[in-house]
């Protein structure tokens, strides 16, 4: 669907019914698929023929939704996962193993930080976290012999750092490794990292893509641009025979689909973080209005940010859409149509005052979530990021008084009135 604009792709990509078929993507709520010949089933298992046989590996509903996200990002191949965590885990594990290293921009979602700093470390994969605003020299110096990927978030959750995608892509490519970008907050409506040199994009589809807080999910999209064969010694899993599939070489047999095919046939096969077709169906409905919702989220967030900036009880506001925000220039470059609906702020007062303001909100809920239709707040230091030390919080760009405000798509005046009454209670 490459000729259509992104708004059209949100609605039309992925599933194209043939004559007489259902207009809406059907839910293939089936774990398995029937064949008439055992020989054909054998060919499917050998990856000699494409087809469905077991939903842990592939399912038609899931694949249609993956194809839509692939098209929105301008990628070559994509897969869904059961969560954003699984997407980031698989994206790395597909190309790094025990003894390897990854380089990450330090402003990350708390769950991703834990995954990379602790969990994959226990599996023997080491991660270095670098200041996203580092110089090119510092960035280049952080690579090691065994570095296999560079990772960052387009718009960091919740630090709202806009990553200099070109700087990170250039450094990754100078060192012969792919650049993996978590594009959850920007969504492909506002930024398509492949256009700035990223090689692989991940998503927590739980956020704006789903948009209604119904389904946890994730996605991995491959641009198909990284030349694995040119760095074969670094990525033998993709470029040398896979004995578990009778010696198939992914880059030879699947070309631009090599990375996603390997992630499916190895990681999904063995680890199994597949979404239910029902959740993929709900995600697809969310994607149909992604372009409309993201626009309104940003419009509302801009109004709320400007209101908070001028409120006497507010100490500071972070929103890249504000002219004085340190990331305003990078936002204008990478997300010119707007950033996201999430902003952060701190109030003039104690931690108890912060909690009091949050408890005083009526329309805006306290929820461990961001980026859905309903406005909500969270205090990362006492909620999502509470496992992190003060030092780790600082590196992730999370101040102790930071309140994360996910601005929904209600009427902006109602949202502002609610926060105003809550602030005035202290
Ligand atoms: C929420 C989030 C994740 C994790 O996704 P889940 O769907 O909750 O597993 C990863 N990255 C970012 C940027 C997120 O906001």
């Amino acid at each position: 669907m490459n000729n259509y604009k992104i708004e059209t792709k949100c609605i039309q990509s992925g599933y194209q019914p043939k004559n007489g078929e259902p207009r809406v993507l059907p839910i293939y709520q089936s774990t398995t698929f029937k064949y008439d010949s055992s020989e054909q089933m054998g060919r499917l298992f050998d990856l000699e023929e494409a087809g469905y046989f077991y939903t842990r590996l592939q399912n038609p509903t899931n694949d249609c939704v993956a194809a839509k996200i692939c098209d929105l990002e301008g990628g070559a191949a994509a897969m869904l996962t059961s969560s954003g965590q699984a997407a980031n885990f698989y994206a790395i594990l597909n190309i790094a193993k025990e003894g390897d290293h990854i380089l990450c921009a330090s402003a990350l979602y708390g769950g991703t930080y834990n995954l990379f700093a602790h969990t994959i470390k226990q599996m023997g994969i080491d991660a270095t976290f670098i200041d996203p605003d580092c110089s090119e020299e510092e960035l280049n110096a952080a690579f090691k012999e065994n570095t296999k990927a560079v990772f960052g978030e387009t718009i960091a959750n919740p630090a709202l750092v806009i990553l200099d995608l070109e700087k990170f892509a250039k450094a990754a490519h100078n060192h012969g490794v792919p650049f993996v970008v978590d594009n959850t907050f920007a969504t492909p409506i506002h930024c398509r990292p492949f256009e700035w040199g990223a090689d692989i994009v991940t998503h927590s589809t739980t956020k704006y893509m789903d948009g209604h807080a119904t389904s946890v999910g994730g996605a991995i999209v491959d641009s198909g641009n990284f030349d694995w064969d040119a760095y074969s010694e670094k990525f033998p899993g993709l470029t040398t025979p896979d004995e578990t599939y009778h010696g198939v070489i992914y880059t030879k047999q699947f070309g631009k689909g090599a990375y996603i095919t390997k992630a499916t046939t190895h990681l999904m096969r063995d680890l199994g973080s597949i979404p239910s077709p029902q959740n993929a169906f709900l995600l697809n409905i969310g994607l149909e209005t992604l372009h409309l919702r993201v626009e309104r989220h940003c419009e509302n967030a801009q109004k709320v940010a400007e209101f908070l900036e001028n409120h006497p009880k507010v100490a500071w506001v972070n929103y890249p859409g504000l002219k004085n925000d340190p990331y305003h220039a990078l936002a204008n470059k990478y997300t010119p149509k707007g950033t996201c609906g999430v902003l952060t702020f701190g109030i003039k007062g104690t931690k108890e005052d912060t909690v009091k303001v949050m408890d005083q909100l009526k329309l805006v809920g306290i929820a461990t979530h961001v980026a859905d239709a309903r406005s909500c707040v969270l205090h990362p230091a006492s909620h999502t990021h509470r496992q992190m030390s003060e030092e780790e919080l600082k590196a992730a760009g999370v101040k102790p008084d930071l309140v994360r405000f996910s601005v929904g798509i209600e009427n902006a005046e109602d949202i502002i009135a609610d926060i105003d009454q809550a602030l005035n209670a202290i």
Side-chain angles (χ1 to χ4, degrees):
M1 286 226 141
N2 280 328
N3 295 330
Y4 289 117
K5 307 269 191 305
I6 198 146
E7 295 81 0
T8 308
K9 290 180 176 189
C10 280
I11 295 158
Q12 299 278 355
S13 282
Y15 173 64
Q16 277 105 39
K18 296 189 198 75
N19 188 40
E21 288 184 348
R23 184 70 187 99
V24 174
L25 172 64
I27 307 171
Y28 288 88
Q29 195 70 43
S30 181
T31 59
T32 191
F33 302 82
K34 175 192 164 287
Y35 288 90
D36 290 335
S37 114
S38 74
E39 201 223 321
Q40 187 182 11
M41 181 84 96
R43 285 201 301 275
L44 296 177
F45 271 97
D46 282 351
L47 308 181
E48 282 170 7
E49 194 177 310
Y52 296 99
F53 51 98
Y54 191 58
T55 284
R56 170 150 42 77
L57 281 107
Q58 282 187 296
N59 171 283
T61 307
N62 295 357
D63 281 1
C64 282
V65 182
K68 177 179 280 187
I69 294 172
C70 187
D71 202 21
L72 291 174
E73 287 287 2
M79 70 198 285
L80 297 188
T81 58
S82 55
S83 67
Q85 285 300 111
N88 284 330
F89 180 43
Y90 283 22
I92 295 303
L93 199 61
N94 205 32
I95 44 176
K97 60 179 186 325
E98 187 189 7
D100 287 341
H101 167 258
I102 61 167
L103 180 57
C104 310
S106 63
L108 290 178
Y109 171 67
T112 309
Y113 179 81
N114 278 327
L115 170 66
F116 292 164
H118 304 297
T119 303
I120 67 167
K121 196 181 178 80
Q122 287 165 8
M123 301 169 65
I125 302 169
D126 208 18
T128 303
F129 300 88
I130 190 163
D131 183 344
D133 301 326
C134 64
S135 69
E136 279 190 44
E137 292 70 39
E138 289 167 321
L139 186 53
N140 283 314
F143 283 81
K144 301 181 183 185
E145 205 53 11
N146 57 344
T147 302
K148 294 297 166 74
V150 174
F151 185 94
E153 295 177 8
T154 319
I155 305 174
N157 173 12
L160 303 175
V161 167
I162 308 282
L163 194 62
D164 190 341
L165 297 175
E166 282 188 318
K167 178 178 78 181
F168 275 76
K170 190 172 150 205
H173 297 157
N174 279 345
H175 293 85
V177 300
F179 179 32
V180 183
V181 174
D182 181 333
N183 197 34
T184 298
F185 265 25
T187 84
I189 304 301
H190 280 170
C191 181
R192 287 171 300 281
F194 295 152
E195 294 171 5
W196 302 100
D199 301 288
I200 290 145
V201 160
T202 61
H203 280 280
S204 166
T205 62
T206 318
K207 313 295 165 54
Y208 290 113
M209 284 191 167
D210 173 272
H212 302 78
T214 69
S215 313
V216 174
I220 309 173
V221 189
D222 179 13
S223 66
N225 292 336
F226 192 81
D227 188 353
W228 308 105
D229 284 316
Y231 304 97
S232 186
E233 73 293 346
K234 282 190 208 277
F235 306 105
L238 286 159
T239 61
T240 60
D242 177 358
E243 294 317 328
T244 71
Y245 284 106
H246 303 303
V248 57
I249 298 175
Y250 289 99
T251 49
K252 278 225 169 68
Q253 189 154 334
F254 300 102
K256 285 179 182 293
Y259 174 90
I260 292 293
T261 303
K262 179 174 178 284
T264 303
T265 58
H266 269 222
L267 301 179
M268 269 312 169
R269 181 194 64 186
D270 297 351
L271 303 174
S273 313
I274 199 78
S276 79
Q278 172 78 36
N279 277 6
F281 172 83
L282 291 168
L283 169 58
N284 189 50
I285 291 183
L287 287 167
E288 289 183 1
T289 55
L290 182 65
H291 55 299
L292 297 173
R293 290 183 291 102
V294 160
E295 190 182 316
R296 180 62 62 87
H297 277 291
C298 288
E299 203 181 294
N300 282 358
Q302 185 72 31
K303 287 179 188 164
V304 172
E306 286 169 12
F307 167 79
L308 289 171
E309 201 178 29
N310 296 312
H311 200 288
K313 299 223 165 123
V314 173
W316 57 269
V317 185
N318 256 356
Y319 185 64
L322 293 174
K323 286 198 181 60
N324 294 327
D325 189 272
Y327 295 99
H328 192 63
L330 281 173
N332 280 343
K333 174 173 176 179
Y334 291 112
T335 61
K337 289 198 293 178
T339 52
C340 64
V342 178
L343 59 87
T344 60
F345 68 97
I347 61 160
K348 290 177 186 157
T350 60
K351 188 176 165 191
E352 288 67 39
D353 292 327
T354 301
V355 169
K356 194 169 171 201
V357 169
M358 289 175 60
D359 288 350
Q360 191 68 27
L361 291 162
K362 295 188 169 65
L363 176 70
V364 178
I366 298 172
T368 306
H369 205 252
V370 282
D372 76 78
R374 283 157 286 265
S375 291
C376 63
V377 287
L378 186 91
H379 184 216
S382 45
H383 302 139
T384 43
H385 288 60
R386 70 183 295 149
Q387 294 101 331
M388 289 168 72
S389 69
E390 232 159 77
E391 207 116 283
E392 289 174 330
L393 283 174
K394 207 169 156 221
V398 182
K399 298 180 192 128
D401 65 338
L402 180 150
V403 175
R404 185 177 71 182
F405 196 138
S406 177
V407 182
I409 53 176
E410 303 95 341
N411 183 290
E413 286 173 26
D414 288 339
I415 302 169
I416 287 171
D418 191 33
I419 179 113
D420 193 33
Q421 64 81 23
L423 284 167
N424 291 333
I426 54 159

